[in-house]
Amino acid sequence: MLRSLVGSEMCIRDRHELLRDLRVLGIKAFLSPLPAAAGFSAVTPAEIGRVASEIEQSSLPILVHCELMRASEIDRLLARAAEGDPRDFQNFVGTRPTEFERSAIQALIEILAEYPGIRAHIVHLSDAGSLEPIRKAKAAMPGRLTVETCPHYLRYAADKIPRGETRLKSFPPIRGSSNREMLWAGLQDGTI
């Protein structure tokens, strides 16, 4: 069972029971704003910090969808994308810049540094530019940080996706060819 660490409602109502439930294998956190239809909300690094000591005591890993941005940033980027060609995959990629992923990963690394009993797992890594800080964090905190990527990040490249192809839209998005090759290198050297 994988439960989501969701905003203040979970922090108040369900957290203590959740952290003791033996069926719970980890706690998932989304740092990016989510649509209301998702059924839960994103958390901030500060909210993770507020419950960090309890997460430490539970020994559960926190699994983090690493894109950190404000809703206003997304709104601005979506408005700019609406002015472009909606069938152009690069137009879509522009709505989720690598800085969102890098900021989230940096915030997660800072939380790990502050709370030495926490283990974390980065889910869906798409930005190869994040590999170096991840390598450094893994070396400084052995066994406390793991990372995975997805097959579509290793198979496809944004610059090769045909106009009008919507089946490959994901968050974070697929990046370019050179990024894909660097992800393969991170997989081969054990960073991922």
Side-chain angles (χ1 to χ4, degrees):
M1 174 186 275
L2 184 66
R3 291 290 304 265
S4 178
L5 174 68
V6 294
S8 58
E9 71 212 41
M10 182 281 221
C11 293
I12 293 167
R13 188 182 65 228
D14 298 331
R15 185 175 70 236
H16 304 293
E17 184 178 323
L18 167 72
L19 294 175
R20 289 191 307 268
D21 189 326
L22 296 177
R23 298 170 297 165
V24 175
L25 303 176
I27 302 167
K28 179 120 184 224
F30 288 83
L31 297 177
S32 58
L34 297 164
F40 50 91
S41 60
V43 295
T44 65
E47 286 176 307
I48 294 173
R50 283 197 294 275
V51 298
S53 62
E54 293 173 60
I55 294 170
E56 275 183 309
Q57 292 170 7
S58 76
S59 74
L60 293 172
I62 184 166
L63 295 80
V64 184
H65 179 97
C66 284
E67 288 184 292
L68 183 59
M69 76 289 266
R70 293 183 304 278
S72 60
E73 291 174 295
I74 289 291
D75 291 343
R76 179 181 54 79
L77 291 168
L78 288 173
R80 185 170 63 192
E83 297 170 5
D85 180 356
R87 296 176 49 87
D88 180 5
F89 195 81
Q90 291 296 333
N91 191 37
F92 164 70
V93 172
T95 68
R96 303 299 263 239
T98 57
E99 292 78 26
F100 290 171
E101 208 167 345
R102 292 174 190 181
S103 296
I105 289 169
Q106 185 57 46
L108 180 60
I109 290 169
E110 289 170 9
I111 290 168
L112 289 173
E114 186 173 347
Y115 297 94
I118 290 182
R119 292 178 299 126
H121 179 77
I122 297 170
V123 301
H124 323 317
L125 178 71
S126 79
D127 172 43
S130 296
L131 288 169
E132 193 53 36
I134 290 169
R135 281 185 189 103
K136 289 179 182 176
K138 288 177 81 168
M141 301 176 268
R144 296 190 45 226
L145 180 62
T146 56
V147 184
E148 54 93 344
T149 191
C150 300
H152 52 281
Y153 299 134
L154 297 169
R155 169 66 177 91
Y156 299 101
D159 46 313
K160 306 284 189 216
I161 294 174
R163 185 173 181 275
E165 178 56 77
T166 59
R167 292 176 294 177
L168 295 173
K169 288 186 175 182
S170 61
F171 298 113
I174 294 167
R175 308 285 178 193
S177 297
S178 62
N179 184 86
R180 178 186 62 199
E181 297 312 312
M182 288 188 285
L183 286 177
W184 272 111
L187 187 64
Q188 291 168 338
D189 72 18
T191 303
I192 300 172

